[in-house]
Every structure is written in C-alpha cells, then in structure tokens.
C-alpha cells in the first residue's frame, strides 16, 4: 500500500474488513482464534470488531460452537448486487419488444441521489424531441421519477421538496408538495405513472415499476414520445398495457415472480 493510500485508510474499518475477509474465505464461518492467527490482531480487538458487526447484523454468532458467520446483511446485499448486474442485460430484450409494440423509445432507469439515472435505452421511431433527452432526470417532473416518489413516506416526501425546491419547467409541472401527494396517490392506485408534458412541452411518458420479491422498487421502464404521435397512434391505453406487461416480464425473468 502506498503512503497516500495508507494515510486515507481508517485503521478500525480496515480491521473489520480483514475480519469479514477471513470469515468469507473460511467458508462463511470462523472462530476468534482462526481470525487472530490469520490477521495477527489481538483477540480482544477481534472481539470488539465482531461485537460491532453483530450489532449491524453483518455477523451472527453460533452460541453452540462459539463461531461467527456472515449475517443476513450479506445475503440481502448479494441479492441486490446480483440484481443490479443482471437487470440491464435481462431488461434489454423486453425493452426491444416494447419498443417494437409501441413504436416509441423505451428507457430503463433507477433512482440515484434523488434523481432518475437512465441505465439503458432502446430507440423507437426517430424523434429529435426524445433523442435530445438527458440521461438524468429530476424525480418530480418525470414518469419514472414520480414512481420513486410514490414509494416515499410523507416525511421523506416533505424532506425531498424542502431540499430540491422544484422548478416550473412547463405549465404542467407539479411543483407543490400538496399537488404531488394527490398525484402520487393516483399512481399508487393505478400502478403506473404519466409525465404529461411535465418535463418538456410536447413529450409524453408512461412508466411502470420493477420490484424485487420484497416489493421494493429497484427500477422501472418507461416509453417516451411526442404527445401527438402517442395519442394518435396506438393510443395511451395500449402503451400503458405494453409498459406494465414489460415491467412484469422483467420481474419474472429476474426470478422475482413465480
């Protein structure tokens, strides 16, 4: 390790990482003596590290054998990491089919630091309006974003509006907390979200959530296109059905549905 890297590390966190590493390499279970032998740390230090990790459910102790094993945290975190790694790959063919059905562009997005981050995009019919969109959107004025807002508690939503201070992008943009509460209630009831020229004039978006087995939203897909074409073509109802079916199929392919 270089002098700079050594300066930037936190000794006790590094010790905790060493303990977890030993347990992992020992098949997910190890005793204090084994950890001490492999790390060179004192048993008292290891005990303190293990005690702290136990309080966060990172480590569990088998009272009968007096050994420690990786906790449920790592199982849950592993599922999330695996899900993220597979999501874009699994979603792509479904998105291509939805794009073919609707004739419009399809986005796959997730929530990152209070914004929608687009992970994947499948282009539909050529449209300068849609092609000019950015890969990051505010939550309050996008179809995918409002889905994530609908997952928030009232306290979290209040905090979001306090921090973000929504701006009026178009005449249709929802900028007040009370208006948004009514909008989110409707989204929860219908199971999908609309951005009806709230982000940009002339743009319509239909979005549906992708949920894990615990019901937590890990992402979503949306279809975006010009209002005139989406309403006059196959119709918004038909597009809603395609988006909802696509999200459900992605959940099934991810193993989230029986």
């Amino acid at each position: 390790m270089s002098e700079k890297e050594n300066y930037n590390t936190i000794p006790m966190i590094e010790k905790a990482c060493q303990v977890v590493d030993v347990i992992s390499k020992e098949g997910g279970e190890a005793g204090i003596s084994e950890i001490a032998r492999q790390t060179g740390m004192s048993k008292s230090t290891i005990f303190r590290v293990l005690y702290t990790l136990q309080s966060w459910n990172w480590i569990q102790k088998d009272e009968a054998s007096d050994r420690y094993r990786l906790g449920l945290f790592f199982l849950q975190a592993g599922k999330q990491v695996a899900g993220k790694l597979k999501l874009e790959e699994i979603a792509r063919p479904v998105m291509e089919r939805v794009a073919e059905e609707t004739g419009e562009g399809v986005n796959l997005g997730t929530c990152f630091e209070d914004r929608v981050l687009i992970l994947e995009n499948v282009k539909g019919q050529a449209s300068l309006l849609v092609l000019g969109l950015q890969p990051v959107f505010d939550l309050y004025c996008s179809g995918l974003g409002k889905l994530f807002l609908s997952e928030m508690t009232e306290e979290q939503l209040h905090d979001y509006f306090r921090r973000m201070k929504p701006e009026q992008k178009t005449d249709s943009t929802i900028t007040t907390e009370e208006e948004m509460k009514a909008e989110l209630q409707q989204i929860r009831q219908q199971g999908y979200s609309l951005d009806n020229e709230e982000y940009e004039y002339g743009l319509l978006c239909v979005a549906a959530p992708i949920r894990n087995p615990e019901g937590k939203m890990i992402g979503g897909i949306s279809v975006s296109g010009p209002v005139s074409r989406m309403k006059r073509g196959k119709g918004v109802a038909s597009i809603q059905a395609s988006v909802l079916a696509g999200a459900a199929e992605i959940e099934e392919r991810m193993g989230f549905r029986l």
Side-chain angles (χ1 to χ4, degrees):
M1 182 180 294
S2 69
E3 185 175 338
K4 181 178 180 180
E5 289 173 328
N6 188 55
Y7 174 80
N8 287 326
T9 60
I10 300 175
M12 190 52 73
I13 293 179
E14 189 170 26
K15 286 181 170 62
C17 291
Q18 287 180 292
V19 169
V20 171
D21 186 58
V22 170
I23 296 174
S24 177
K25 289 179 177 176
E26 289 297 315
E29 184 176 296
I32 290 181
S33 295
E34 292 171 76
I35 299 170
R37 186 170 59 253
Q38 294 191 42
T39 63
M41 285 188 276
S42 68
K43 291 185 178 180
S44 61
T45 297
I46 294 169
F47 176 80
R48 289 170 58 206
V49 169
L50 288 168
Y51 186 86
T52 303
L53 293 175
Q54 275 184 276
S55 70
W56 283 85
N57 293 320
W58 285 36
I59 296 294
Q60 292 178 321
K61 182 181 180 181
D62 186 329
E63 298 294 342
S65 65
D66 206 28
R67 291 167 67 81
Y68 296 82
R69 62 170 65 99
L70 299 181
L72 292 176
F73 167 83
F74 287 97
L75 177 62
Q76 295 166 347
K79 286 182 178 179
Q80 291 176 358
V81 171
K84 291 288 185 183
L85 291 175
K86 294 191 299 180
L87 180 57
E88 294 167 57
E89 179 183 350
I90 288 177
R92 179 80 190 188
V94 178
M95 294 168 65
E96 289 174 347
R97 194 199 71 238
V98 173
E100 185 176 351
E101 289 175 355
T102 62
E104 304 294 347
V106 183
N107 293 311
L108 171 70
T110 190
C111 186
F112 180 73
E113 295 185 349
D114 282 336
R115 286 181 170 81
V116 175
L117 175 65
I118 300 301
L119 302 174
E120 188 68 89
N121 171 270
V122 175
K123 293 179 174 58
Q125 297 176 16
S127 170
L128 294 177
L129 180 68
V130 178
L131 294 179
L133 295 180
Q134 299 298 312
V136 179
F137 301 88
D138 286 312
L139 298 180
Y140 69 91
C141 57
S142 62
L144 285 170
K146 289 192 291 182
L147 287 174
F148 285 106
L149 287 181
S150 73
E151 300 286 290
M152 291 184 179
T153 63
E154 282 199 19
E155 183 178 350
Q156 290 171 330
L157 184 67
H158 178 73
D159 184 57
Y160 170 82
F161 268 81
R162 179 184 60 80
R163 287 183 289 105
M164 300 305 292
K165 297 179 175 56
E167 300 176 357
Q168 195 83 44
K169 293 181 179 291
T170 74
D171 291 341
S172 300
T173 307
I174 299 174
T175 58
T176 70
E177 187 176 343
E178 288 307 310
E179 284 182 296
M180 185 60 75
K181 284 181 181 178
E183 174 78 0
L184 299 181
Q185 182 59 33
Q186 183 175 350
I187 289 172
R188 295 184 190 106
Q189 292 174 350
Q190 63 194 19
Y192 63 87
S193 174
L194 292 178
D195 162 13
N196 195 1
E197 297 188 88
E198 295 161 50
Y199 174 78
E200 184 173 319
Y201 286 113
L203 179 68
L204 176 65
C205 173
V206 182
I210 299 170
R211 301 182 185 279
N212 66 16
E214 289 72 42
K216 179 178 175 60
M217 185 177 166
I218 62 169
I221 60 169
S222 66
V223 168
S224 300
V227 173
S228 57
R229 193 166 67 208
M230 289 179 70
K231 288 185 175 180
R232 292 175 186 171
K234 295 195 174 182
V236 176
S238 175
I239 292 172
Q240 288 169 0
S242 291
V243 174
L244 286 167
E249 184 176 345
I250 292 171
E251 290 177 349
E252 185 176 353
R253 291 188 178 209
M254 292 286 292
F256 294 164
R257 292 189 174 210
L258 296 178

